[in-house]
């Protein structure tokens, strides 16, 4: 019995000596756990944790245009369906203003024609000296048609006939005024000298057309546009743009495409109207997170039928077409991830 007890005491003594040898040379006998133990004890990051809150300000266009309603429908969807996103749309002066707001950080997502996006990205035309090199695309959307509305009594039959007439060309320096310059130049006019230009928004232009205080107005908006409908109920018509003018435009600006506005789109429109169009692009700041833009893109396309029912301009859009005809603009990594995931890229 004593022998067994002595052996137990010896074993205990040996364990005590070994434990003391495990302390560092400084003699620190602290019992704090090792780094490995501390790391394993730390709470792990929840892989399913919700991303940080994201605010999306989305400028659109004037309140009378189709783009205003399109932006409202999209932001309402995001705000409702993505729990960590707070999204809202606001009226603006249109595409160039939208691009400026996004490039300056006042907004995060918006829509503009692909030509203006290209110019903003590369610092050309209206954006000379003000390039925003981090502009990224979420989706190419619908083609935005140019609609040239004139009064019947003006006698204007084609673009060249606008020479000398009182014509509304939208706000000075706007994307729509740029369309006027490109088209009237292609039609052989000296813009703006050959035209008595009125620099007003098309909502105001529609009232002036209705009152016959101007001869015509340039409206760039998805068809049917409320302003065009208003004008056509008051004896106005939409001009066709000839093949020659469209070919001249395409030779210099490859983003243009011909587009037909079907008969019956507007009051008293008995025939198809050929016009020019540029694809609208939904773009964003490049510093939006990949996860946020992935969720914005996914939610948009998973609900496109619902959006199309609410807004005719979004009806029939497909992800396959969303990556085409966007003037070689770069996709945001989050959008690119989604398109690759569904096999579009």
């Amino acid at each position: 019995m004593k022998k067994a007890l002595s052996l137990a005491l010896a074993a205990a003594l040996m364990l005590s000596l070994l434990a003391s040898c495990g302390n560092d040379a400084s003699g620190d006998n602290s019992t704090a756990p090792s780094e490995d133990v501390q790391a394993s004890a730390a709470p792990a990051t929840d892989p399913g944790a919700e991303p940080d809150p994201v605010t999306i300000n989305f400028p659109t266009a004037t309140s009378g245009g189709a783009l205003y309603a399109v932006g409202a429908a999209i932001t309402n969807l995001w705000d409702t369906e993505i729990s960590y996103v707070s999204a809202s749309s606001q009226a603006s002066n249109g595409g160039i203003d939208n691009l400026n707001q996004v490039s300056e950080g006042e907004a995060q997502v918006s829509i503009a024609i692909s030509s203006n996006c290209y110019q903003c990205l590369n610092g050309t035309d209206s954006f000379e000296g003000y390039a925003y090199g981090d502009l990224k695309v979420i989706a190419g959307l619908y083609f935005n048609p140019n609609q040239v509305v004139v009064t019947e009594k003006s006698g204007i039959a084609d673009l060249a006939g606008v020479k000398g007439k009182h014509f509304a060309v939208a706000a000075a320096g706007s994307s729509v005024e740029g369309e006027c310059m490109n088209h009237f130049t292609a039609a052989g006019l000296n813009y703006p000298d050959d035209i008595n230009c009125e620099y007003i928004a098309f909502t105001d232009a529609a009232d002036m057309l209705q009152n016959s205080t101007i001869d015509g107005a340039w409206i760039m908006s998805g068809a049917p546009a409320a302003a065009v409908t208003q004008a056509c109920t008051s004896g106005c018509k939409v001009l066709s743009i000839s093949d020659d003018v469209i070919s001249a435009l395409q030779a210099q600006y490859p983003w243009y495409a011909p587009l037909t506005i079907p008969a019956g789109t507007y009051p008293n429109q008995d025939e198809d109207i050929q016009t020019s169009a540029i694809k609208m692009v939904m773009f964003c700041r490049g510093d939006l997170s990949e996860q946020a833009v992935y969720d914005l893109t996914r939610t948009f396309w998973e609900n496109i039928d619902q959006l199309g029912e609410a807004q005719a301009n979004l009806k029939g859009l497909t992800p396959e077409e969303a990556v085409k005809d966007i003037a070689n603009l770069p996709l945001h990594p989050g959008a690119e991830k989604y398109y690759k995931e569904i096999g579009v890229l």
Side-chain angles (χ1 to χ4, degrees), residues 54-295:
V54 173
T55 298
I56 301 294
N57 293 319
F58 192 127
T60 56
T62 55
S63 58
L67 185 56
Y68 180 83
V70 166
I74 294 172
T75 53
N76 181 65
L77 172 70
W78 288 342
D79 193 68
T80 302
E81 295 295 326
I82 308 175
S83 59
Y84 66 92
V85 168
S86 175
S88 61
S89 61
Q90 304 88 34
S92 76
N93 289 324
I96 290 179
D97 184 26
N98 296 344
L99 285 156
N100 285 331
Q101 288 194 47
V102 169
S103 65
E104 292 167 5
E106 296 175 8
Q108 291 71 43
V109 179
S110 191
I111 297 177
I113 52 178
S114 60
S115 55
N116 285 159
C117 292
Y118 179 91
Q119 292 160 357
C120 179
L121 178 70
N122 294 284
T124 65
D125 298 84
S126 300
F127 300 93
E128 186 171 356
Y130 299 96
Y132 178 51
D134 204 23
L135 181 144
K136 296 292 187 289
V137 170
I138 294 176
L141 302 177
Y142 54 91
F143 280 102
N144 199 28
N146 286 294
Q147 300 176 69
V148 188
V149 187
V150 297
T151 63
E152 287 284 359
K153 73 174 188 178
S154 70
I156 301 171
D158 54 26
L159 293 188
V162 177
K163 184 174 183 178
K165 301 295 185 178
H166 190 196
F167 192 90
V169 296
S174 67
S175 56
V176 177
E177 197 216 351
E179 291 301 298
C180 292
M181 179 178 66
N182 291 348
H183 283 74
F184 286 128
T185 300
L189 300 187
N190 182 14
Y191 181 86
D193 296 341
D194 282 346
I195 302 169
N196 183 7
C197 294
E198 187 78 39
Y199 297 93
I200 55 174
F202 62 70
T203 48
D204 297 326
D207 292 334
M208 296 178 75
L209 284 167
Q210 198 169 24
N211 298 327
S212 296
T213 53
I214 55 175
D215 297 307
W218 199 285
I219 296 174
M220 191 178 197
S221 178
V228 180
T229 299
Q230 177 185 339
C232 288
T233 58
S234 305
C236 293
K237 64 180 181 179
V238 182
L239 295 181
S240 281
I241 297 179
S242 69
D243 292 334
D244 289 345
V245 170
I246 292 176
S247 294
L249 288 166
Q250 290 176 321
Q252 190 170 0
Y253 310 105
W255 46 70
Y256 283 109
L259 183 140
T260 298
I261 300 175
T265 300
Y266 292 113
N268 305 313
Q269 181 201 344
D270 299 325
E271 299 179 349
D272 290 349
I273 296 168
Q274 175 177 270
T275 187
S276 62
I278 304 176
K279 183 169 276 190
M280 299 296 294
V281 172
M282 182 158 57
F283 62 92
C284 65
R285 289 185 57 82
D287 57 9
L288 278 177
S289 74
E290 180 176 321
Q291 182 64 52
V293 177
Y294 172 85
D295 286 336

